[in-house]
Amino acid sequence: KLMGELIARCGAAALGGFEETLSEAFDALSCYFPIAFTPPPNDPHQITAQHLLQAMLRTLRASHLFARLALPFFAAKLADDGDDDDEATERRQALQGLALLGPFYGAASLGPHADRIGDALADLLTPPPGPLPPVPAAAAAPDGALGAPDGALGAAVRETLRALASV
């Protein structure tokens, strides 16, 4: 919270050297991504990994200047290969970052990264090569619907697409 407030105030004051400091702040934040946190038993503060992710994303919203660093970072995290639980968590958190930050940063900031973000989203929506299991008729997607993954990752893909479509 403190870092976000400092960044917002420094940006508003247009202090010299702010952009270089912003890169250092981003490096300090991004090394904790993806957020992996298990609270201690009987935690009186009830802090969760989602709370920490939200705090990180709020800090990245403190300045539009973070866009040049955050957007390619999250696009790269989407494109990382792997199917284990850690990769799914990383992708889900990257999608949440894009859904929150994309509309805030705006079309001008998204433009230079649109191809990379679009390719990463397309890869998530494309089924893996090989035979697909049959889909019962009742569960089939309506014509033109995207084949987003199921579960939390699928919900994150859908939310990200809705958020980016609003830009």
Side-chain angles (χ1 to χ4, degrees):
K1 190 172 181 179
L2 177 61
M3 184 183 272
E5 183 65 28
L6 287 171
I7 289 167
R9 287 184 184 199
C10 290
L15 298 175
F18 178 61
E19 287 195 45
E20 293 80 23
T21 303
L22 205 65
S23 286
E24 292 175 16
F26 181 81
D27 290 344
L29 288 170
S30 65
C31 69
Y32 292 101
F33 190 87
I35 304 292
F37 176 75
T38 303
N42 303 318
D43 176 22
H45 305 290
Q46 300 180 345
I47 296 171
T48 66
Q50 187 64 29
H51 291 135
L52 296 174
L53 176 63
Q54 289 170 354
M56 177 187 192
L57 296 176
R58 278 193 304 272
T59 301
L60 294 175
R61 280 184 60 149
S63 172
H64 284 84
L65 296 175
F66 271 129
R68 66 179 173 81
L69 302 166
L71 294 172
F73 176 80
F74 287 126
K77 296 302 179 182
L78 284 182
D80 285 348
D81 287 336
D83 292 328
D84 62 10
D85 287 342
D86 291 339
E87 292 293 331
T89 297
E90 182 176 63
R91 285 186 176 135
R92 185 177 38 74
Q93 290 182 9
L95 287 163
Q96 290 174 340
L98 288 171
L100 178 73
L101 298 172
F104 175 76
Y105 292 151
S109 294
L110 279 165
H113 311 287
D115 285 343
R116 189 169 187 190
I117 293 169
D119 289 346
L121 288 169
D123 287 345
L124 285 176
L125 296 170
T126 304
L132 295 174
V135 176
D143 289 340
L146 296 172
D150 292 335
L153 185 60
V157 168
R158 288 185 292 279
E159 180 61 30
T160 301
L161 289 172
R162 275 193 290 275
L164 294 177
S166 72
V167 176

